[in-house]
Amino acid sequence: MYRQESDNIQTFLAAEGQLLELISEGAPLPQILDRVCTAIDVQLGNVISLVLLPDDPEHTLHAFEQSAAVFGLTLFSCLPILSAEEEFLGTLETYCCFPRKPNLTESELIERAVQLAAVAIEHYNHDVHAEGCSLNWNGASGGSPHQGSPSSN
């Protein structure tokens, strides 16, 4: 049974606020992307979402697609994650238990999730670049500002 659309939107808005807070606090990128996917999965029901970053090995995508097919999952949605400058940052893929396409409300929620993922990835990339260009008090270049490495859900 599907939730009412207004309940989905309200719940997703609450999750969106929590995600923006995590981003501003500098939480690890994998944790943020996992929560973006979880928010979509919970709101839509009967779906599994993942974020694929450009540095993911290509065989990972093919392996996941094959595994999804083995378990009877079909592609529900696949959207590019783009920066404000239209730079490709990754994709948000959502798989469903049965063949169907997202309705208007679901499409809007997925698009918001793509935007949140873009903000998180851009924030991470900005912090990594800033840390790499700065020197710490010992004169050595700084490391990554986040624990963990960027990866998909």
Side-chain angles (χ1 to χ4, degrees), residues 61-74:
L61 172 61
H62 296 302
F64 185 82
E65 287 176 332
Q66 290 173 350
S67 295
V70 167
F71 290 103
L73 299 174
T74 60

Side-chain angles (χ1 to χ4, degrees), residues 93-106:
E93 296 186 6
T94 306
Y95 292 83
C96 189
C97 300
F98 49 91
R100 72 180 187 96
K101 298 292 179 197
N103 64 35
L104 180 61
T105 302
E106 292 168 334

Side-chain angles (χ1 to χ4, degrees), residues 13-78:
L13 289 175
E16 185 175 30
Q18 293 169 353
L19 286 165
L20 289 170
E21 189 173 319
L22 284 173
I23 293 167
S24 69
E25 292 172 352
L29 183 60
Q31 176 187 358
I32 295 168
L33 296 179
D34 183 57
R35 290 204 182 176
V36 168
C37 291
T38 300
I40 287 296
D41 297 350
V42 167
Q43 293 311 303
L44 300 182
N46 295 320
V47 298
I48 298 171
S49 302
L50 71 146
V51 171
L52 294 171
L53 301 175
D55 60 350
D56 285 340
E58 185 149 336
H59 71 276
T60 302
L61 172 61
H62 296 302
F64 185 82
E65 287 176 332
Q66 290 173 350
S67 295
V70 167
F71 290 103
L73 299 174
T74 60
L75 186 63
F76 179 69
S77 173
C78 180

Side-chain angles (χ1 to χ4, degrees), residues 120-143:
I121 295 167
E122 285 187 289
H123 187 269
Y124 176 85
N125 289 343
H126 178 267
D127 284 356
V128 167
H129 177 69
E131 282 290 318
C133 293
S134 67
L135 298 178
N136 67 22
W137 290 109
N138 296 325
S141 63

